Amino acid sequence: MSPLRNRNIQISSSGTKEDPQLVSDDDSLSKRRSDFHWSGQDEPHAARRKEMLAKYPQIRSLMRHEPITKYYVLALVAIQFTAAFLLRNSWNTWQFWVTAYVVGGTCSSALVLGIHEVTHFLAFKQFLPNKILACIGNLPIVFPFCVEFKKYHMDHHRFQGVDGIDGDVPTLFEAYLFNSFVGKLFFCITQILFYALRPTFSVKPVTYKMPKTFGEFIVSWHAMNFAIQLPVMALVYLNFGWTPILYFLFSVFFGGSIHPMAGHFIAEHYVMTPGYETYSYYGALNALAFNVGYHNEHHDFPNVPWTLLPQLRKIAPEFYESLPQTESWFMTIFKFIGTPGLGPYSRVKRMPAVADGGKFVGSSSNGGVAPAVENDVGSVNFVGREASATF
């Protein structure tokens, strides 16, 4: 672990927090890192949430569902299926590949982010419609992933950066292997594969349990995800061949590769400014990305829907204006590749014991970590958990 320099910067009345343990002697971006940014403190969002609610109790009025989300998700699904149909005989043309990158890459990225929004149960008041909408949004992604994604994403919120739990953080193997210019280039081109596969092999889920037997699987939400996804993909293949599925697959790949929309993967949590581990982006691409650029705001209040995150920032601007921001998702990718001091090691990690206190407001159960509230979107503890902790 790198030697650390304590700068004694604390939470202020403006809500700005710089973890002094994250400011080390080797944080120059001109020098290649050989270890993660290790923190001895809990993640910053729970403390900021508590302070913001004390100062601005009206924030609670923003904690509600957003009915418009379903129309955006369904429109994106319709665009992708229409494009796949129109290109069903054109896989070997430039039109196919350009459309897959420009239209498909944008739409598939937007769909993943729409599913992310639905994962927090913010599209419908009822539990089941959120699950069904997530599965419908999953269709052009080819692989049934939305239920699995929810399991790991909830842990990302509740245990941000915790070693062995947060699957959003690269593994030590990835960090070591892809720490050079060429390695980072390959990592960025193929990063969607790492994000999809990493959690399965590298972390242990905490918030949810996986079905352990076939009987448990059949009655789990995983089964519903498969039961919707696989027949639709089979129908597409039987009626139109492999080309539409190829279009879907390359749309997903391009959208998670060196693509303007894919910059959010790097921009959200890779340490660009030592002492800070979450970064917001307020640019135009938020219009296509369910405002996921408002990432500090989202982590502070995961039960505020995407349409109201800008309003959250307006209510409490002093909590966000002083935080480092990302100016461009697309340029962040090239900065990540070309800057020696940035790479897979540029993530904050903490040991599990650090994350035991104050994770959510108002509970000390489960070893100090408040349980996610199951159905109350208005609760400050709500992150999108369903009625059963078993998937």
Side-chain angles (χ1 to χ4, degrees):
M1 189 180 300
S2 305
L4 300 172
R5 181 174 65 251
N6 192 326
R7 287 172 52 174
N8 297 317
I9 300 176
Q10 305 297 330
I11 302 175
S12 68
S13 59
S14 65
T16 301
K17 177 180 180 181
E18 185 173 15
D19 185 345
Q21 296 196 36
L22 296 182
V23 184
S24 66
D25 291 329
D26 62 352
D27 276 326
S28 170
L29 295 183
S30 63
K31 182 180 179 181
R32 187 183 299 181
R33 293 190 62 83
S34 59
D35 196 5
F36 295 100
H37 296 262
W38 286 93
S39 173
Q41 297 183 7
D42 201 358
E43 53 85 11
H45 301 287
R48 187 159 60 230
R49 180 187 304 118
K50 186 175 182 178
E51 187 179 353
M52 289 176 69
L53 284 171
K55 188 173 183 179
Y56 298 108
Q58 64 267 39
I59 288 175
R60 293 179 184 273
S61 68
L62 304 181
M63 300 174 185
R64 57 180 186 262
H65 303 85
E66 178 49 78
I68 199 173
T69 299
K70 58 181 174 291
Y71 300 115
Y72 277 72
V73 171
L74 294 175
L76 289 166
V77 171
I79 290 171
Q80 280 296 82
F81 272 89
T82 300
F85 174 77
L86 294 176
L87 295 168
R88 64 192 183 279
N89 298 316
S90 307
W91 72 269
N92 56 348
T93 66
W94 66 266
Q95 290 92 338
F96 177 93
W97 298 102
V98 170
T99 304
Y101 182 86
V102 176
V103 177
T106 302
C107 287
S108 65
S109 291
L111 273 172
V112 170
L113 296 172
I115 291 169
H116 161 260
E117 185 74 9
V118 178
T119 287
H120 287 283
F121 287 173
L122 295 176
F124 295 93
K125 292 182 179 180
Q126 294 78 23
F127 164 75
L128 183 59
N130 282 287
K131 279 293 188 185
I132 294 174
L133 181 63
C135 289
I136 293 173
N138 195 151
L139 291 175
I141 311 299
V142 179
F143 301 103
F145 86 99
C146 67
V147 173
E148 189 79 354
F149 169 78
K150 178 180 177 64
K151 176 181 66 176
Y152 295 112
H153 186 67
M154 294 303 100
D155 282 348
H156 169 59
H157 273 275
R158 291 165 63 80
F159 303 99
Q160 180 175 309
V162 175
D163 190 39
I165 298 178
D166 185 1
D168 193 68
V169 180
T171 62
L172 186 62
F173 174 78
E174 293 171 74
Y176 177 80
L177 193 62
F178 304 121
N179 202 28
S180 65
F181 177 87
V182 174
K184 289 186 289 183
L185 178 63
F186 178 81
F187 180 78
C188 287
I189 291 173
T190 60
Q191 63 179 319
I192 191 65
L193 302 179
F194 291 101
Y195 272 88
L197 297 175
R198 179 193 305 135
T200 305
F201 300 104
S202 67
V203 297
K204 180 180 179 180
V206 174
T207 305
Y208 293 106
K209 300 176 182 177
M210 283 288 290
K212 296 181 179 180
T213 67
F214 182 73
E216 289 180 356
F217 174 81
I218 289 298
V219 297
S220 71
W221 295 109
H222 280 89
M224 184 183 76
N225 196 183
F226 276 80
I228 293 175
Q229 187 73 32
L230 298 184
V232 173
M233 291 298 99
L235 286 172
V236 170
Y237 167 71
L238 291 173
N239 285 279
F240 307 110
W242 283 109
T243 302
I245 295 177
L246 190 68
Y247 169 79
F248 290 147
L249 288 172
F250 274 99
S251 294
V252 174
F253 179 79
F254 288 146
S257 183
I258 298 182
H259 188 282
M261 292 285 283
H264 79 90
F265 288 117
I266 303 296
E268 289 168 355
H269 294 292
Y270 281 81
V271 177
M272 304 292 174
T273 303
Y276 298 88
E277 58 185 280
T278 305
Y279 303 82
S280 288
Y281 158 79
Y282 301 113
L285 287 178
N286 277 307
L288 302 173
F290 292 87
N291 278 339
V292 78
Y294 288 76
H295 215 64
N296 268 300
E297 293 83 347
H298 170 64
H299 269 265
D300 289 348
F301 293 94
N303 49 351
V304 172
W306 63 282
T307 52
L308 297 179
L309 291 175
Q311 189 173 338
L312 169 64
R313 185 170 185 263
K314 289 180 181 178
I315 289 175
E318 71 273 22
F319 285 87
Y320 298 112
E321 288 178 349
S322 59
L323 297 178
Q325 302 173 12
T326 299
E327 298 297 326
S328 167
W329 277 346
F330 199 34
M331 295 309 298
T332 295
I333 298 175
F334 298 105
K335 180 180 179 180
F336 177 83
I337 296 171
T339 305
L342 295 177
Y345 280 120
S346 300
R347 289 294 298 263
V348 173
K349 295 190 77 171
R350 47 182 54 87
M351 298 307 293
V354 177
D356 281 347
K359 187 55 100 168
F360 289 88
V361 178
S363 175
S364 60
S365 63
N366 191 25
V369 180
V373 172
E374 294 174 354
N375 295 310
D376 182 9
V377 73
S379 167
V380 294
N381 293 345
F382 181 86
V383 293
R385 188 174 185 177
E386 54 236 46
S388 172
T390 300
F391 259 48

